[in-house]
Amino acid sequence: MQPYQFTKSQALLERSARVIPGGIYGHQTPAVLVPGSYPYFFAHGQGAHVWDVDGNEYIDYICSYGPIVLGHRHPKVEEAALAQMRQGNCFNGPTERWAELAEHLVGITPFADWTVFAKNGSDVCTWALEVAREHTGRRKVVMAKGAYHGTHAWCTPMPAGTTPEDRANVLTFAYNDPADLRRVVETHDGEVAAIIVAPFRHDAFHDQELPVEGFHQSVRQLCDDKGIVFVLDDVRAGFRLHLGGSGEYFGVRPDLSCYCKAIANGYPLSACAGRDALRRAAQRVFFTGSYFTSGVPMAAALACLRELEACGGIEHMRHVGTLLQRGLEEQARSHGLRVTVSGPPALPFMSFRDDPGFERNKLFGATCALHGVYVHPHHNWFLSAAHTEADIRRTLEVTDLAFRAVRERFA
Ligand code: PMP
């Protein structure tokens, strides 16, 4: 099997870099991948597969970093989006989909009484904290060290262009450590408006950590004791673990929950769902954007969420994700390599033990990409409802090559 070539990707990157700082910026930047071993530009997608501009085909385990939950170009989502597009997308106000989608989300989210819509995960995470401040009259917020909540100045992991003042009201604690969280909150007693946490620890460059027994419940209890707003950042995991939000999967109900990635199968939309107690504050905190009310993404979201339920997509992702996780563990063992497979099956990750620089993971990811399987060397992966058992079998043939490459290079 000849490894892939990326001639057109490389040329497009150079062309882009002349007129776009960095060529491709943000989390899709080639700088975080392995130069020469990954495609940078894509041409089309179908189900669990994507094709790059050089015509190379991949089984896609990044799913656009989460949004593609039913598979690329899912017919029901495309049909709903097209039907709305024929009516128009962007008006002076919302379409009927606005109310319909809010009703749907409130209907499937046990704790929620209302929802708002925006475009990005960062929008809703930042707004949720503002709502918490407005509700409590307090200024501090607490987040886990190293957690990602978006690009805004209070939380960006790349602080270029921000000031220390932007973070002056942000406190941090160690994820999965309720005693540390309590210590932070008690040190600032009466000042904390919100605690924002992800449903499980999915930081890049790190094995994923599921919440330890009682972790979320202790956050809930602390919030109740101290009058703090519990914000669940479900942007990455939402609708991949449970239709009612990842809080339901882990047995906790937050006050505000932020969604984005999987909500509309790739159409631009985010949402924040909340409790009645926060409705007044939600109404007072100004929230708007040029495209917040656009109808097409909302039509896509309705179709996506309905189909996810109808086809048992969440169960399916768990099934195929488990096959992948078990397959990787067995394969690593057969090669005499020590790996850690972490995270829930629908959002898995694998790292090599004793590989702090992720050098083994980079070679593993690069070998996979060169042979048609797109995984990431240091960011969690994503399954979709379109991945089949045959995709997993084919993937494991490719990962076998990748394990062999790691064994030979690092023997
Ligand atoms: N929170 C989490 C947990 C995320 O994974 C992300 C995106 N990777 C965000 C917030 C920010 O979302 P966006 O990139 O859509 O602004």
Side-chain angles (χ1 to χ4, degrees), residues 106-356:
V106 167
I108 60 174
T109 315
F111 79 88
D113 301 299
W114 53 261
T115 178
V116 298
F117 301 110
K119 286 293 133 193
N120 292 293
S122 306
D123 303 340
V124 279
C125 288
T126 297
W127 181 80
L129 299 184
E130 290 167 358
V131 169
R133 288 190 174 116
E134 175 64 20
H135 177 73
T136 58
R138 304 172 186 171
R139 62 176 61 186
K140 305 267 182 218
V141 299
V142 184
M143 62 177 272
K145 283 184 197 95
Y148 187 69
H149 297 297
T151 59
H152 291 185
W154 67 271
C155 63
T156 172
M158 308 287 186
T162 67
T163 67
E165 290 79 7
D166 291 320
R167 284 162 199 263
N169 290 308
V170 180
L171 307 165
T172 58
F173 78 104
Y175 194 90
N176 262 339
D177 187 344
D180 192 42
L181 178 59
R182 180 167 284 276
R183 179 191 61 75
V184 171
V185 166
E186 287 181 347
T187 309
H188 298 270
D189 219 6
E191 291 180 278
V192 176
I195 298 171
I196 181 167
V197 291
F200 63 93
R201 187 175 179 195
H202 46 40
D203 309 354
F205 291 102
H206 208 281
D207 290 329
Q208 303 192 87
E209 281 175 32
L210 296 180
V212 294
E213 182 76 24
F215 170 66
H216 283 304
Q217 292 70 19
S218 73
V219 177
R220 179 70 274 172
Q221 190 62 51
L222 189 60
C223 286
D224 290 343
D225 291 348
K226 305 280 186 187
I228 295 168
V229 176
F230 182 168
V231 182
L232 187 68
D233 178 355
D234 211 4
V235 165
R236 194 175 311 177
F239 309 118
R240 267 195 168 76
L241 302 180
H242 197 291
L243 205 63
S246 305
E248 294 301 302
Y249 184 81
F250 290 117
V252 73
R253 294 195 170 158
D255 299 310
L256 295 171
S257 199
C258 301
Y259 294 114
C260 183
K261 305 278 189 185
I263 196 169
N265 206 47
Y267 285 84
L269 189 71
S270 62
C272 178
R275 292 181 189 267
D276 253 336
L278 290 148
R279 191 187 287 262
R280 195 167 162 277
Q283 216 167 318
R284 290 166 63 92
V285 178
F286 190 55
F287 200 37
T288 191
S290 298
Y291 303 104
F292 278 17
T293 61
S294 303
V296 168
M298 294 185 189
L302 277 161
C304 174
L305 296 172
R306 286 180 180 140
E307 179 60 13
L308 204 50
E309 186 168 9
C311 75
I314 290 173
E315 263 311 300
H316 180 79
M317 285 185 273
R318 192 213 305 253
H319 170 66
V320 283
T322 303
L323 291 179
L324 178 67
Q325 287 186 322
R326 295 296 83 81
L328 290 170
E329 277 166 348
E330 277 166 30
Q331 224 167 38
R333 216 174 298 125
S334 76
H335 282 275
L337 292 164
R338 283 160 32 92
V339 299
T340 302
V341 172
S342 61
L347 297 96
F349 183 59
M350 189 196 79
S351 71
F352 290 85
R353 308 259 176 97
D354 314 315
D355 186 25

